[in-house]
Amino acid sequence: MIKKKSKTINIMLSGAAGQGIETIEKILSDAVKNSGLFTFSSKEIMSRIRGGLNSLLIRISDSPKSAYIKTPDLLFSLKKGGINRLDKRISDKTMIFYDSDKEKTKKTYNNMVSLDIENLKGDVEEKLFSNTAVCGYICSYLNFDKDICLKVVENIFAEKSPEKNRKAFLNGYSSCENKSENLNISELIKTSHKNNYTLNGSQALGLGALAGGCDFISSYPMSPSTGVLIFLAEHGKEHGVFVEQAEDEISAINMSLGAWYAGARALITTSGGGFALMEEGLSLSGITETPCVIHVSQRPGPGTGLPTRTEQGDLNLVLYGGHGDFPRVILSPGNASQCFEIASKAFDIADKFQVPVIILTDQFLVDSTFTEQNISNRDINIDNRKYITDSKEDYKRYKISEDGISERKLPGYGKGLVRVDSDEHTEYGEITEDFSVRIAQVEKRMNKLKDMKGFSIPPELIGKEDYKDLIVCWGSNYGLAKELIENSENSDLSALHFSQVYPIPDEAYNYLKNAERIIILENNYTGQFGELLKKNFDIDIYKKVLRFDGLPFCLEDTTEFLNQILKGGNDE
């Protein structure tokens, strides 16, 4: 199934929380970007502040990649136990760098290089600078241009021990005596990709929210969603965003509804457990027809589950959460670029249709770092805010209309009174128990999303249009699907990626009905999106490929498993 392998260099770092492997990620990512190449990095993090064993995968390539791979070309173990823990991910070709005096491996591997890791920093005394020195060694081994790397180091540490970090990097760089012959960065460089820059999923989503006119965020910190709150807190003042760390998730959603009611565009960011507490507020948004944008970054449940790992297990929660029937929109980006575009669009959808819009991501996406091209120059059209500031005395907040959308007026302006209530109400917003009014208002609300022209996001077909077999996925499996198809020699295989998972776009049906075999790819136990497709379109699903151990799908294993399925060799 694999044809010509794209040019990539895959580096894995293993170290403890607090040991600085994210600093190495930052230096390498910027050095790659400034060399005109692309990088993608993803983290595997234990749930602890200090200690443990975390790992970081960095992929360097001549084109954008965002799939998780299993086997690295280089492994740098910075703490005892790292190699043994990653044993199943080491191949005969993996080059391992480790401190033999401190780490005893269970077996001997083909390619092992012993380093005095703590002393790569040379005459820089503080242990703190060891990670910068390790980065210098890696850059030298891969034949990075030293001057490009130094500029990156000087920029990153401009206000934090710049001289010592510069010296530690140079000491690490010069200590590498044998540079790689097979993994030479210069072999990847064909043309320089200008205007590239690096950002993670949380940052991209935060930028998209700003582009969408977000000017208020109220949230209670909850991993892995907190990065969005931090980003807007760091940049909110310069962009006119009011930032409130609420005392709990119930307060957060109610603050957000109050902000929308007053004319702001508000965001809430949380994870599955936090969203569960927001469900009454979600229903309040539904019946008061107050717009709402909620970012839910998934992690494995139930309960606390695996709080620093990844899963796509909350689709049913956000789809069916909240009591009663009311419309909602669920969007699920697949990479940093889509995070930006979808976050900006979410506010227009919420404002236009006066419904909750949920942006569903996961830990793998928000914590991964991407190289993107020209994201800040994308054509983002911020729709005018859908409210009025003037009205007559007989203003009807919930006026029955053909499309279910009534004029939303800001309170305190014009002659009309804005009546908003969580009870069922008349067109004027007055509480009622009239059954005919109840029917009319329910039907009004449910009619809103029947026509989403100009707002709906159709699924993206990856591969040829004359396919027989179709991989269907959503959210963060976008990068995986792209590489599966790019590397495939099977001309009958294509993939369909959904970044709007509800309401399912009408265009999806034709893609699905044209497939002889549909293979669902999801990070959950039951295949939640596959079941939703089956419910909506009455389609037959040939096979569900599911992963729910807290890790993302890896390219190698998924390729092998799909080979077996397509050849009819796996009926389990």
Side-chain angles (χ1 to χ4, degrees):
M1 186 174 177
I2 290 288
K3 55 183 179 181
K4 185 178 179 181
K5 197 172 183 179
S6 58
K7 293 183 178 180
T8 61
I9 297 174
N10 304 308
I11 307 166
M12 179 165 286
L13 297 160
S14 177
Q19 201 169 0
I21 60 175
E22 289 191 12
T23 299
I24 300 175
E25 175 194 22
K26 175 63 176 172
I27 297 171
L28 279 177
S29 295
D30 285 357
V32 169
K33 174 198 68 174
N34 293 348
S35 300
L37 296 172
F38 296 86
T39 185
F40 169 74
S41 57
S42 57
K43 303 172 182 66
E44 184 187 339
I45 306 168
M46 286 187 171
S47 182
R48 61 195 69 189
I49 297 173
R50 291 279 178 179
L53 280 170
N54 298 338
S55 60
L56 172 70
L57 171 68
I58 303 174
R59 302 187 65 193
I60 302 171
S61 58
D62 54 1
S63 61
K65 306 292 180 187
S66 57
Y68 179 77
I69 62 106
K70 179 179 180 180
T71 305
D73 300 306
L74 306 177
L75 168 60
F76 282 80
S77 180
L78 308 184
K79 186 185 177 186
K80 180 180 178 181
I83 297 175
N84 292 332
R85 179 170 175 267
L86 297 169
D87 173 66
K88 293 182 179 179
R89 300 183 64 172
I90 298 171
S91 74
D92 292 340
K93 296 181 179 180
T94 301
M95 183 68 70
I96 302 171
F97 298 84
Y98 76 119
D99 193 331
S100 60
D101 290 336
K102 296 183 179 180
E103 183 163 8
K104 304 301 178 184
T105 60
K106 293 180 180 179
K107 62 182 183 182
T108 302
Y109 299 89
N110 286 356
N111 305 299
M112 304 186 77
V113 177
S114 179
L115 294 177
D116 186 355
I117 291 175
E118 286 189 11
N119 289 320
L120 286 178
K121 56 185 173 50
D123 56 353
V124 180
E125 294 181 1
E126 295 92 329
K127 186 177 179 180
L128 175 68
F129 300 96
S130 293
N131 57 344
T132 307
V134 169
C135 192
Y137 186 96
I138 295 172
C139 289
S140 179
Y141 184 78
L142 296 177
N143 291 280
F144 271 94
D145 184 285
K146 182 167 65 174
D147 292 335
I148 289 177
C149 296
L150 273 178
K151 287 180 181 178
V152 170
V153 171
E154 290 166 357
N155 180 61
I156 291 174
F157 298 107
E159 298 179 0
K160 189 177 181 180
S161 304
E163 289 302 320
K164 289 184 177 180
N165 275 292
R166 186 179 191 278
K167 193 171 185 179
F169 180 88
L170 286 173
N171 288 342
Y173 195 96
S174 61
S175 66
C176 180
E177 299 177 355
N178 298 312
K179 301 180 186 294
S180 174
E181 296 180 2
N182 299 324
L183 302 175
N184 192 323
I185 200 74
S186 61
E187 294 180 2
L188 295 181
I189 300 175
K190 293 181 180 178
T191 59
S192 178
H193 299 278
K194 296 181 179 180
N195 300 321
N196 287 354
Y197 59 97
T198 57
L199 75 172
N200 62 36
S202 292
Q203 293 166 333
L205 204 145
L207 282 171
L210 293 175
C214 175
D215 49 17
F216 185 97
I217 180 170
S218 54
S219 294
Y220 183 81
M222 188 173 188
S223 173
S225 69
T226 311
V228 177
L229 176 62
I230 292 172
F231 178 84
L232 289 177
E234 290 174 340
H235 301 281
K237 188 174 183 180
E238 59 189 292
H239 294 284
V241 181
F242 185 93
V243 180
E244 175 68 17
Q245 180 177 317
E247 61 267 33
D248 55 41
E249 288 84 357
I250 297 172
S251 297
I253 191 169
N254 288 331
M255 288 179 186
S256 172
L257 295 178
W260 277 99
Y261 173 73
R265 280 189 162 186
L267 174 67
I268 313 155
T269 182
T270 189
S271 189
F275 183 85
L277 294 173
M278 297 181 182
E279 291 192 46
E280 187 175 17
L282 187 73
S283 287
L284 181 61
S285 168
I287 197 165
T288 61
E289 301 184 44
T290 304
C292 187
V293 177
I294 308 173
H295 167 231
V296 179
S297 189
Q298 301 165 101
R299 66 193 205 186
T304 305
L306 297 172
T308 60
R309 309 292 176 154
T310 198
E311 198 164 278
Q312 294 180 312
D314 292 341
L315 175 57
N316 284 343
L317 170 68
V318 301
L319 176 59
Y320 300 114
H323 51 290
D325 292 320
F326 56 95
R328 70 197 72 191
V329 175
I330 305 172
L331 309 175
S332 190
N335 57 20
S337 175
Q338 291 181 12
C339 279
F340 178 81
E341 293 172 344
I342 281 174
S344 63
K345 192 166 187 174
F347 289 89
D348 285 347
I349 295 173
D351 217 341
K352 164 72 174 176
F353 296 98
Q354 301 171 28
V355 297
V357 177
I358 298 154
I359 304 171
L360 197 56
T361 66
D362 54 39
Q363 181 272 329
F364 176 61
L365 177 59
V366 298
D367 285 346
S368 291
T369 301
F370 306 76
T371 301
E372 289 290 348
Q373 291 179 294
N374 303 321
I375 190 172
S376 60
N377 296 325
R378 293 180 185 272
D379 184 19
I380 300 297
N381 296 313
I382 302 177
D383 204 9
N384 291 330
R385 301 189 183 217
K386 300 295 183 180
Y387 57 68
I388 58 174
T389 56
D390 194 11
S391 64
K392 297 180 180 179
E393 291 183 2
D394 63 346
Y395 168 69
K396 296 179 180 180
R397 172 63 185 93
Y398 303 109
K399 184 178 180 180
I400 302 296
S401 60
E402 187 174 341
D403 61 5
I405 301 171
S406 311
E407 284 189 324
R408 183 166 67 97
K409 187 181 88 72
L410 293 190
Y413 293 87
K415 296 180 180 180
L417 181 63
V418 182
R419 299 181 180 91
V420 175
D421 201 283
S422 65
D423 287 73
E424 193 55 272
H425 39 251
T426 67
E427 290 180 288
Y428 288 100
E430 297 168 336
I431 296 174
T432 183
E433 293 190 24
D434 186 299
F435 301 133
S436 62
V437 173
R438 162 68 176 176
I439 292 171
Q441 286 294 329
V442 170
E443 290 177 343
K444 167 197 182 306
R445 292 190 288 267
M446 297 305 292
N447 281 338
K448 288 184 178 183
L449 301 181
K450 285 187 176 180
D451 184 5
M452 286 188 67
K453 289 181 180 178
F455 289 88
S456 183
I457 304 173
E460 179 183 340
L461 182 68
I462 303 167
K464 298 180 180 179
E465 294 184 357
D466 56 342
Y467 51 85
K468 293 181 181 178
D469 299 314
L470 188 65
I471 300 169
V472 176
C473 63
W474 59 282
S476 63
N477 284 320
Y478 177 76
L480 173 69
K482 281 187 72 71
E483 287 198 58
L484 286 171
I485 301 304
E486 287 171 1
N487 296 339
S488 176
E489 293 181 340
N490 186 342
S491 59
D492 293 331
L493 182 66
S494 292
L496 189 66
H497 176 267
F498 287 80
S499 54
Q500 178 178 313
V501 294
Y502 188 84
I504 300 174
D506 294 336
E507 296 89 342
Y509 180 67
N510 287 332
Y511 287 120
L512 296 169
K513 76 174 184 179
N514 290 334
E516 294 181 9
R517 295 187 293 185
I518 295 173
I519 301 168
I520 299 292
L521 198 70
E522 294 190 62
N523 289 90
N524 57 60
Y525 180 79
T526 56
Q528 294 177 19
F529 186 60
E531 291 301 308
L532 181 61
L533 291 175
K534 189 173 182 179
K535 176 183 175 182
N536 277 260
F537 300 127
D538 192 27
I539 60 169
D540 292 324
I541 297 173
Y542 177 70
K543 186 70 67 175
K544 294 180 181 179
V545 181
L546 308 173
R547 184 165 193 171
F548 45 89
D549 59 357
L551 295 173
F553 284 104
C554 69
L555 181 61
E556 302 97 323
D557 289 350
T558 309
T559 297
E560 182 179 349
F561 194 70
L562 283 173
N563 261 332
Q564 295 175 3
I565 291 173
L566 296 172
K567 291 178 181 178
N570 192 311
D571 296 321
E572 295 298 322

